[in-house]
Amino acid sequence: MTTQITSARPAAGPRKGTRRRPPASSATTVGRPGFAWALPAALFFALFAIVPLIMVAVLSFMSWDGISPPRFTGTDNWSRLMDDPVMLKSIWLTLLLTALGVLLQTPLSIVLGVWAAGHQRNRAVLSVIYFIPLLLSATAVSVLWRALLDPNFGIPADAAWLFGDGNLFGEQATAIGVLAFVSTWQFTPFHTLIYQGAARAIPQVLYQAAEIDGAGRYRQFFHITLPQLRNAMITAMILMIVGGLTTFETVLILTQGGPGTDTTISAYYMYDKAFKGFDYGTGSAIALALVVASTIISLIVVRVSGYDKMRGSAEGVS
Amino acid sequence: MKTRARLPRLVATGATLALALSLSACGDGDGGASGDDGKIHVLVYGDATNKVEKQLVDTFNKTSDVKVVLDTIPGADYQQKLQTIINTPQAPDVFFNWGGGSIKPFVKAGLLLPLDDLIKKNPDLENKFLPSVFNNAVVDGKPYGVPMRGTQPVLLFHNKKVLDEAGVEPPKTWDELLDAVGKLKDEGVTPIALGGGDVWPTQMWFQYLYDRIAGPELFQKALGGDKSAWESPDSKKALGMIRELVDTGAFGKNYDSVKYTNGGSVQLVAAGKAGFELMGSWYYSQQLTDHQEFAEKDLGYTAFPAVEGGKGDPADVAGNTNNYYSVMKKTKHPEAVAEFLKLMYSDEFVKAQLEIGNLPTTTNTDEFIETSGTPEYSRFQYDLVADAPSFQLSWDQAYPQKASSDMHKAVQQFFNGQLDTDGFIKAMQALPTE
């Protein structure tokens, strides 16, 4: 009996130990797709992700300007990056922007998502309007905001009491603020969608029970809705963090890493080195560091949050 | 068992797909000149001027056995794409560039054909162009490019109405400019519009002041690898004058948030909120497009003011000298290429360029200026360039491409006060010169 149960739910089984192959004749494996189904995707992934990644790793130990043949220079690129103040600054800026993104977008998208999951009047229409920023490309969004924030003819000109002389892109603090704002403006709708789906999946019986017990709307939100959104929150946060670490277009178009190097985040620094400075070796090293960092951070989030052994949130309800 | 049976077929499908994809990636050979197919591939920056280039290619193909194929790359990606294909079989035979540092790495890598043999056979390939322009594609004493398209000197533009209201004449000297700045400030307008968000407009102020104060030699020395040029007294004097200009509020306080490329600074001048703007000669047609009435009535232009006591000739010009056609060493038809390049000083070329507002730098341009859309403006520019003892190529084009990003950073940081004089000098000294 026990074997049958484990083979029915292999994902919940112990991670360590011998890998058990479910008996081919077992009734539980019927309908489980074979490995062959994953093959095309795996091939594509290997061709367009793994192979380039390996090439980037090799290139990070070379000096190459794109014209002359690449030369092996050992760990030169890496040791230079370690001492590069701009690199250190870019890491700090990347983390700061990522953190700002998570802090701004999470509460906003939870509130909007839970609201959008309800049945209020006009909800559907307003939800569609809120969703529009996500439909625009990041490039279009950035060009749009750069024009809207022109100090002499944009919003700052009409709201001098708030923006002062409007030099938003000329100072580090305000430039970072603009970057965080624009990403929030664009990506909140996406996370709202995640939370909306998750909020819809919360069993209504929980709210009915709470109502009988006399819990008000706010108590219901904090004691039922929020805890039930835990898994969605982890998913959204991982997406935000990975997205934040690899933000690029907004910086490229809004600030070009400036003023000076004040908004040069790591992904932009990679572009700057590789494609503007024609130093593909150093660019590759930064790229690889970003891949490693993103993977580690995602793994940490997964571990700490218990995402890897995520339980269905409806467990124990039915 | 069912899945087992499907496996080989799936593998086969997947493999075929992957192959087809990689094949189609290789087969994208339109832009390539792989092998001798009896054609010359000419690669140009893709924009409105392509109209003229297409016309010339058609003219050439009517009489030539070796046909020219014109390939265009959309503007913003041109430099990156060129760098990627230049050392591959996809490389063109002839390509568009900015002369100076933009081709130096290719020369060093031995990819370009020195044109001196072709010029020996046909001296007009050199003689028919203005020398100050032609010389910007000379690397290590050998010519590597023939001018094409038009010249783009940087001029000091102004709003006539704003200047009148402040009682200011277009400045001929630096002191007059400073005086004008003061008077315009009193009128409550930004004296000088600057699209600092793009950084390269900021750099134009450095180019001209260095040239006026130290003459063209200082920058040539620095470009040649002599880093002491940057810490010379002349260099420090130029930096001091820039600092003074910025600190008096000549550019207002928010210039780093203003862009030229989205029309911000252009509108500042057109709307009468600023007096001057230093910009390349394309500014006129930009204003004509964006603010036609203003451009036709109130847009004025002068040369950059002289600096008293400076070593540089006040007739010197800075900007983009011109674009050039360079030839790859591997081309199989150098004779046909030479024939094609001869078209770049033909009457047809000059007329067609003038018609779309470009100012060619050939010796016969003079005869056709009256046929241009804006003869007065074309005449002013042509005389300016023809009489200039020196034409300083924009710093970021004169240096190797890989230096431009760091140079822009230094320029912006010194301008807005993030770097002091010593910091700027160090940053410029750290730039690669080859």
Side-chain angles (χ1 to χ4, degrees):
Chain A
M1 247 357 238
T2 34
T3 45
Q4 242 182 352
I5 289 168
T6 40
S7 57
R9 307 182 55 189
R15 294 174 60 83
K16 282 173 191 163
T18 52
R19 214 190 276 171
R20 249 167 296 181
R21 183 195 288 261
S25 60
S26 165
T28 53
T29 58
V30 172
R32 250 191 90 207
F35 173 70
W37 288 96
L39 209 63
L43 269 177
F44 264 76
F45 188 69
L47 197 63
F48 294 109
I50 306 289
V51 172
L53 191 65
I54 293 170
M55 281 158 73
V56 162
V58 173
L59 206 52
S60 77
F61 295 101
M62 294 176 144
S63 160
W64 189 43
D65 60 2
I67 307 171
S68 27
R71 259 180 319 112
F72 262 103
T73 51
T75 53
D76 268 14
N77 293 332
W78 291 93
S79 55
R80 235 180 318 117
L81 275 183
M82 299 289 174
D83 299 329
D84 184 351
V86 181
M87 183 66 204
L88 295 177
K89 192 168 154 187
S90 83
I91 293 172
W92 153 240
L93 284 170
T94 308
L95 294 177
L96 177 71
L97 263 179
T98 307
L100 276 176
V102 173
L103 290 177
L104 286 171
Q105 291 174 38
T106 303
L108 246 179
S109 49
I110 288 179
V111 171
L112 276 173
V114 170
W115 173 81
H119 300 283
Q120 306 86 339
R121 251 179 193 253
N122 303 330
R123 182 199 53 79
V125 177
L126 284 174
S127 295
V128 169
I129 295 175
Y130 292 157
F131 197 69
I132 286 175
L134 191 65
L135 301 177
L136 306 172
S137 79
T139 313
V141 168
S142 307
V143 171
L144 176 82
W145 278 105
R146 181 83 208 201
L148 282 174
L149 293 173
D150 183 279
N152 301 301
F153 302 100
I155 302 167
D158 294 325
W161 54 273
L162 180 62
F163 293 101
D165 54 21
N167 196 18
L168 293 175
F169 295 101
E171 318 244 354
Q172 184 174 34
T174 46
I176 289 173
V178 170
L179 288 174
F181 168 78
V182 172
S183 332
T184 301
W185 187 81
Q186 185 175 25
F187 290 112
T188 301
F190 173 71
H191 299 291
T192 300
L193 204 64
I194 295 181
Y195 288 118
Q196 182 194 18
R200 285 241 171 104
I202 301 173
Q204 285 300 315
V205 285
L206 293 178
Y207 292 104
Q208 287 156 6
E211 218 146 279
I212 291 168
D213 289 343
R217 288 187 108 191
Y218 291 97
R219 277 196 83 134
Q220 286 185 20
F221 177 77
F222 284 106
H223 288 91
I224 300 173
T225 312
L226 267 192
Q228 290 283 323
L229 288 180
R230 187 165 176 269
N231 291 338
M233 227 181 283
I234 296 164
T235 309
M237 274 189 185
I238 290 177
L239 289 173
M240 280 180 207
I241 290 171
V242 173
L245 291 178
T246 52
T247 307
F248 175 69
E249 308 97 302
T250 36
V251 173
L252 176 72
I253 293 164
L254 282 168
T255 66
Q256 290 170 310
T261 55
D262 280 353
T263 57
T264 303
I265 55 166
S266 300
Y268 183 80
Y269 196 44
M270 171 197 76
Y271 168 79
D272 191 63
K273 280 280 176 205
F275 295 98
K276 288 172 100 179
F278 300 122
D279 182 356
Y280 293 96
T282 310
S284 300
I286 303 174
L288 199 63
L290 261 178
V291 170
V292 173
S294 307
T295 312
I296 291 176
I297 293 178
S298 297
L299 284 176
I300 291 175
V301 174
V302 166
R303 264 300 152 82
V304 168
S305 61
Y307 187 77
D308 52 343
K309 32 188 181 285
M310 193 190 271
R311 291 163 295 129
S313 51
E315 241 169 51
V317 171
S318 46
Chain B
M1 270 343 295
K2 248 180 172 176
T3 48
R4 284 282 155 84
R6 269 196 208 133
L7 188 66
R9 220 172 32 185
L10 270 168
V11 174
T13 318
T16 320
L17 253 172
L19 259 174
L21 267 169
S22 51
L23 271 181
S24 67
C26 303
D28 188 20
D30 258 16
S34 36
D36 183 9
D37 51 1
K39 288 184 179 131
I40 308 168
H41 283 261
V42 175
L43 188 72
V44 290
Y45 189 92
D47 63 9
T49 310
N50 292 150
K51 205 177 96 187
V52 178
E53 274 121 34
K54 282 192 190 115
Q55 183 192 330
L56 286 168
V57 165
D58 287 343
T59 306
F60 181 79
N61 285 347
K62 260 182 221 152
T63 54
S64 173
D65 290 337
V66 183
K67 305 290 181 203
V68 166
V69 181
L70 191 74
D71 301 315
T72 58
I73 292 179
D77 304 326
Y78 185 83
Q79 193 67 31
Q80 277 89 330
K81 188 98 183 251
L82 178 68
Q83 185 97 3
T84 322
I85 62 169
I86 193 97
N87 206 5
T88 69
Q90 267 77 39
D93 295 277
V94 178
F95 65 95
F96 165 106
N97 59 71
W98 289 266
S102 75
I103 51 169
K104 220 172 158 189
F106 305 151
V107 173
K108 263 195 75 189
L111 296 171
L112 300 193
L113 183 76
L115 300 182
D116 32 13
D117 281 348
L118 296 180
I119 290 170
K120 229 177 268 164
K121 279 182 216 153
N122 176 19
D124 279 356
L125 273 178
E126 181 171 354
N127 298 340
K128 292 278 187 181
F129 298 100
L130 299 182
S132 64
V133 175
F134 185 86
N135 287 340
N136 261 313
V138 174
V139 179
D140 299 332
K142 283 189 176 175
Y144 284 96
V146 165
M148 45 90 70
R149 292 200 172 182
T151 184
Q152 295 153 356
V154 171
L155 310 171
L156 187 63
F157 291 89
H158 62 260
N159 183 327
K160 287 181 196 163
K161 223 163 127 193
V162 171
L163 260 57
D164 276 350
E165 274 161 23
V168 170
E169 288 285 310
K172 291 204 171 57
T173 66
W174 188 255
D175 286 341
E176 284 176 30
L177 179 70
L178 288 179
D179 183 53
V181 164
K183 284 185 182 154
L184 287 166
K185 248 173 51 187
D186 294 342
E187 287 289 309
V189 297
T190 308
I192 305 167
L194 175 65
D198 292 315
V199 192
W200 50 262
T202 312
Q203 176 192 283
M204 290 176 171
W205 286 93
F206 287 74
Q207 279 158 211
Y208 261 125
L209 263 174
Y210 268 81
D211 193 276
R212 289 285 186 272
I213 291 169
E217 294 79 18
L218 183 137
F219 184 73
Q220 290 311 322
K221 232 171 98 178
L223 194 59
D226 184 348
K227 300 191 186 297
S228 68
W230 291 112
E231 53 194 38
S232 66
D234 280 342
S235 166
K236 285 181 179 161
K237 188 178 166 200
L239 291 175
M241 286 169 75
I242 290 171
R243 181 83 276 133
E244 187 194 347
L245 191 65
V246 176
D247 289 348
T248 51
F251 303 96
K253 282 184 181 148
N254 54 27
Y255 49 84
D256 269 345
S257 303
V258 180
K259 277 196 148 197
Y260 172 80
T261 44
N262 69 8
S265 62
V266 181
Q267 196 177 352
L268 262 179
V269 176
K273 288 187 169 191
F276 297 99
E277 181 162 9
L278 188 64
M279 191 43 70
S281 57
W282 59 85
Y283 190 72
Y284 192 92
S285 59
Q286 184 72 46
Q287 286 285 15
L288 215 49
T289 313
D290 292 1
H291 312 278
Q292 195 187 351
E293 211 194 319
F294 163 73
E296 283 168 355
K297 263 175 56 196
D298 292 323
L299 179 62
Y301 45 85
T302 53
F304 192 84
V307 172
E308 298 85 344
K311 294 173 196 157
D313 192 320
D316 282 355
V317 192
N320 293 340
T321 39
N322 207 338
N323 295 117
Y324 300 84
Y325 271 144
S326 290
V327 185
M328 298 294 292
K329 208 177 250 172
K330 59 139 214 184
T331 183
K332 299 228 166 53
H333 308 284
E335 298 306 320
V337 166
E339 286 303 312
F340 177 68
L341 292 181
K342 279 186 194 170
L343 283 179
M344 300 308 127
Y345 55 81
S346 67
D347 292 357
E348 183 191 358
F349 170 84
V350 174
K351 273 192 221 161
Q353 292 288 355
L354 279 169
E355 204 166 297
I356 59 165
N358 285 348
L359 185 68
T361 50
T362 55
T363 47
N364 57 345
T365 302
D366 209 358
E367 306 159 25
F368 299 104
I369 281 187
E370 299 312 318
T371 69
S372 112
T374 51
E376 202 183 322
Y377 180 62
S378 298
R379 166 68 58 198
F380 172 80
Q381 270 188 79
Y382 184 79
D383 289 347
L384 195 74
V385 174
D387 297 342
S390 146
F391 194 142
Q392 170 58 59
L393 180 61
S394 293
W395 280 9
D396 50 358
Q397 299 291 356
Y399 261 73
Q401 284 289 316
K402 61 182 170 188
S404 75
S405 177
D406 285 344
M407 178 189 283
H408 285 163
K409 272 175 222 155
V411 162
Q412 184 175 42
Q413 286 176 318
F414 177 77
F415 215 77
N416 68 18
Q418 287 181 335
L419 276 183
D420 59 7
T421 309
D422 289 337
F424 178 80
I425 289 170
K426 265 199 203 107
M428 294 306 277
Q429 286 173 334
L431 295 177
T433 48
E434 31 189 272

